[in-house]
Amino acid sequence: MNDGFTVSIVGLGLMGGSLALALRQANKDSDPLPFHAYRIIGVARSAETLAAAQAAGAVEATTTDLAEGIAEADIIVLATPVRTILRLLPEVGRYAKPGALVLDLGSTKAQICQAMANLPEHLQPVGGHPMCGKETSGFTAADADLFRGRPFVLCPLPRTSSAALDLARSLACAAGARPVILDPAVHDRAVAAISHLPYVAAVALVHAAADDPVAWSLVSSGFRDTTRVAVCDVDMMLDILLTNREAVLVWLDAFAGQLAGLRAALDIGDEPGLRAQLAAARAWRADLTL
Amino acid sequence: MNDGFTVSIVGLGLMGGSLALALRQANKDSDPLPFHAYRIIGVARSAETLAAAQAAGAVEATTTDLAEGIAEADIIVLATPVRTILRLLPEVGRYAKPGALVLDLGSTKAQICQAMANLPEHLQPVGGHPMCGKETSGFTAADADLFRGRPFVLCPLPRTSSAALDLARSLACAAGARPVILDPAVHDRAVAAISHLPYVAAVALVHAAADDPVAWSLVSSGFRDTTRVAVCDVDMMLDILLTNREAVLVWLDAFAGQLAGLRAALDIGDEPGLRAQLAAARAWRADLTL
């Protein structure tokens, strides 16, 4: 038993803000947990965001200064877009205290884990990615229940101690998530298939339909849902695509192959072949429970 | 003023069942409307469906016999999958009473309107397509508010009288929808872009991701929504794709072109080009109010 951990969350948008709210909620419910309190320091560029987070009771202290914000932290959580995380890591290495866990919430993991390998040896890096989100962003979209029941991918480095990994696991559990340990490259390939490819497909669907004014005037709930992710923050998505380029290209090619197969079956009127493919997709998708 | 219209609805699934419920609701609210009542006869193959529709108060009379079910109808609404509508039209021509409006709710219009041109001259055909739906099907999914505020496409034939078109328009309005008059080919091109292409894309996305067990174990709300339409009824979707083949092929090619453009920009790391395309899609999609 100890009297808790100081957690510095850098970036208080949807993910960082939701983590802060979830940990504050865990503090209230924490009697049976191994750690009875997380003290949360919010670090962000915008004073307005910090004020909103403090007003919502998400953080106990705030600062716009990274060095000051992480100096006392047992756990540093980087919750900015991916390329900002890559830029911040050297600074984190300079100002974090020895033994601190350095965790991130970025949507791609290979480049981040590679950069984490350059952190000073006295720090404990773990790549992280909670598998949840919304198309909205910013602290105003944050939600204490965002992580509840969702997989929270953790990518320890070879040098990461088991105590540090346990700490990351506890934090994920305290936020209500299910920790899943994965290799960074395996993670990046998987999320390219289920998140980055669907995003690119949604963008392309919007471009195709927006060219036809009659089509656009008739759009219904099917189009709305299929293209919902196209409103995701552009900076965040650019960072994701550009730091997971190879996996996204592989899945774009696989997707183009699937589409070409469906096109060919439709073109020649191969009804049994088309039926088999539609029925298989229907059965798989109907099995998803989310 | 008259004492109402007898409406035979053939097929009491999601669309036909919802129309029956919406018209029964309109009867209750109809004092200021030109027609004070729609008497609704339900025609379906399944006695179970008919019993459910009668129990829900959606219909006043039921039969599994098409000839009997439409003999007295002022308005015949064909609400089955598209190729069933094509098969039923000659029978409708034999048994409908002179002057009857023959309207359908099928998702593609060119082939149906072409077949409607072969109906006996004493009938009044209008192709119809309410722009709404759900991924679920059957009378249990029916909803009196399904049509509310949605476009209801009407495709009159050259021979259709203006009185018959007005009657179709009144029925769409009574169901809460907004009638939109369109040429069948223009309709089919438009819905290929906003409905049939997104469906094929969703099917291909499911096929791509289902091949990767790690990916499948991590799917989140983005994938769930992007692929929701992949659980649509396979028979219904096969009918739609096969009766709108040319338009779907054109849009599949346009979509493949959009994807190839995005792929090329990502491949060479053209960040400004990629940003411009993502930002344009975001702005268009954010403007959708549904």
Side-chain angles (χ1 to χ4, degrees), chain B residues 47-201:
Chain B
E48 202 180 302
T49 298
L50 291 172
Q54 197 140 34
V59 295
E60 280 162 285
T62 65
T63 176
T64 57
D65 186 275
L66 181 74
E68 181 196 322
I70 67 173
E72 304 294 317
D74 304 300
I75 303 172
I76 297 162
V77 180
L78 302 175
T80 65
V82 173
R83 288 190 295 182
T84 307
I85 293 171
L86 292 172
R87 277 197 301 274
L88 290 175
L89 276 170
E91 271 191 86
V92 169
R94 271 197 295 284
Y95 302 116
K97 76 177 184 189
L101 168 66
V102 180
L103 176 69
D104 81 293
L105 308 183
S107 304
T108 62
K109 296 271 64 74
Q111 289 195 21
I112 287 174
C113 288
Q114 211 172 345
M116 282 177 161
N118 297 322
L119 285 171
E121 282 300 324
H122 63 261
L123 297 179
Q124 293 290 337
V126 175
H129 183 210
M131 299 305 303
C132 50
K134 294 185 192 178
E135 74 277 24
T136 46
S137 52
F139 183 79
T140 50
D143 172 359
D145 290 321
L146 188 67
F147 302 91
R148 192 150 305 284
R150 302 298 311 147
F152 192 131
V153 174
L154 295 173
C155 303
L157 273 62
R159 71 186 233 197
T160 307
S161 71
S162 60
L165 181 56
D166 282 348
L167 188 56
R169 239 196 228 111
S170 301
L171 184 122
C173 291
R178 293 186 290 111
V180 175
I181 312 293
L182 278 183
D183 172 78
V186 171
H187 166 274
D188 284 4
R189 266 200 307 278
V191 293
I194 57 160
S195 174
H196 313 164
L197 170 64
Y199 169 74
V200 176

Side-chain angles (χ1 to χ4, degrees), chain A residues 76-150:
Chain A
I76 297 162
V77 181
L78 302 175
T80 64
V82 173
R83 290 191 293 182
T84 306
I85 294 172
L86 292 171
R87 277 198 301 274
L88 290 176
L89 276 169
E91 270 192 86
V92 169
R94 271 197 295 283
Y95 301 117
K97 74 176 185 189
L101 168 67
V102 180
L103 177 70
D104 81 291
L105 307 183
S107 304
T108 63
K109 296 271 62 73
Q111 289 196 21
I112 287 173
C113 289
Q114 210 172 347
M116 281 177 162
N118 296 322
L119 284 171
E121 283 300 325
H122 63 262
L123 298 179
Q124 292 290 338
V126 175
H129 183 209
M131 299 305 302
C132 51
K134 295 186 190 175
E135 75 278 25
T136 46
S137 53
F139 183 79
T140 49
D143 173 0
D145 290 322
L146 187 69
F147 304 90
R148 192 150 305 282
R150 303 298 311 147

